[in-house]
Amino acid sequence: MIRVLENPFYYLDNFHQVLQWIGERYSDLLNDDENAFLQRFPALPQPSRALFVRMVMRKGELFRASKLSYPEIGCTVSAAAPLAAEGWLDEDPLVTLDELFELLQKPEIVAVFSLAGHERSARKAEQLEALRERHDGEHRFSAWCGEAAPDRAWRILSKPLCDRLRLIFFGNYHQDWSEFVLSDLGIYRYEKVEFSPSARGFRSRRDIDEYLALHACRERFADGEDPLAVLADMPPPSPDNEWLHSRRHKLQFQIGQQLEKLSNWPAAFSVYEQCGYPGARARAIRVLEKDERFGLAYEWLQRAQAAPESEAERQALLRMAPRLRRKLGHMREPAHKRTAVERLDLSLPMPAEAWWVEGVVRDHLWRDDVPCYYVENALANSLFGLLCWDAIFAAIPGAFFHPFHHAPADLHSADFQQRRAALFASCFAQLEDGRYRSTILANRALKDGLQSPFVYWDVLDDELLGHALDCIPAAHLRKWFERILQDVKANRSGFPDLIQFWPAERRYNMVEVKGPGDRLQDNQLRWIDYCAEHAMPVSVCYLQWAE
């Protein structure tokens, strides 16, 4: 691949790569405007295509010609003409006063509006407020400025179309055109997955349109619109797309949370009742409790306790059950007993220089023969990711459909493990016969620096990895990995902060650190309970500052 700095049109080549990719894989899903763009864009002169892509990749839709200066393009005014002829660019757009202020600098504003006295020296925001009283509506940029600001302004009209093409290529809106540059520069490197040419993120035009409609609702909700109005405009769910169902349920869950904040209990319950997002059922019970509908809340709680959706829900139900039983006058049930965990109480002087609680405890526990590391979620996830690399990056249908995946698209799906059951079983079998060590070391060397949803490359140095493989029994690794796979999204976090190693004894201990006034979080409690239940060494350290 030609390095970015050696090819001044690298961004244009990347854009063409996207268009070609979409044309080869999604032509049957494109609308007329999108198909027409794919056919007509390559026929434009290179400077025009380059200018168009430069504007697409910049923020906003309005640009001043004088600010678009690129040596490889040359005269941008000439390059813009074919774009205007295609209807993709407005060469003299209608501009509001607010937009004009975004385009002009303060001296230009003074000249355009002939400001004098206090208005001339006022801050730009104050000038805008004063001029709003005298100017309203939209005017052409040339009509606003005349000879006072001799420049051109352009509005790119095809940015929504290009955003749709970007969505079709990446399957999401959080990745953008910079992925190509970061990859070309070697800043981000991706595993090369040999997926089928037929692999694609969207299976129908309905999928694309539903994603766009959900995204629009999400943007409105983020901008503070009435949550019930947003909810009413959400598109009906597609019948067979679990991925879009998940996005829909997540937005519903967020709307339910907002309705809770507004104390609209009936509306919040109605949203949660129809929502399949993790945690929605527990929130529904909590809302019923807040609305003092204790009988119905207890019915929901009993159904949930019979078949909890996750460890997190089971934990929440155990917390709610005593309150509801008390409100309904039921007999008190025996309290849930947690497995005993070793407690370590420390009283240490507060460091004079910059410090962090986990670092203070780590340094206190460190001995030459008992090294102690701050790892939190990094170590267990990294070991899992390295052992199971081939399973995670297997070319499962629908999991990969472009070259810039840092994780499978279905990573958080309920059937992530099930779809790769045989592959994960093969990985775990290595924990039984000892091959896991060589696999982890080989993948660390071979895959070093590649994007991964599990591996923390900057944490996993030779010393830490060596101690981990020497001191953590394979049976314990298997228990960690099995729990991660049970619920990847929930169980990738919550691991204890520190890990101690006794290399001479080939053993270890995990330590969760809590400073003054701090308490264990729910996901930390779940991991600590799990480790204690399976006889994996873990302790909780409570630090107080010595007087």
Side-chain angles (χ1 to χ4, degrees), residues 162-182:
C162 291
D163 285 341
R164 291 199 303 275
L165 296 177
R166 175 166 61 89
L167 168 66
I168 292 169
F169 179 80
F170 286 114
N172 61 70
Y173 268 137
H174 66 261
Q175 288 181 286
D176 59 29
W177 309 108
S178 65
E179 296 282 351
F180 288 88
V181 182
L182 295 171

Side-chain angles (χ1 to χ4, degrees), residues 291-304:
D291 202 22
E292 299 185 349
R293 299 162 70 183
F294 302 123
L296 184 57
Y298 194 66
E299 290 177 17
W300 272 64
L301 181 134
Q302 287 181 304
R303 288 200 300 270

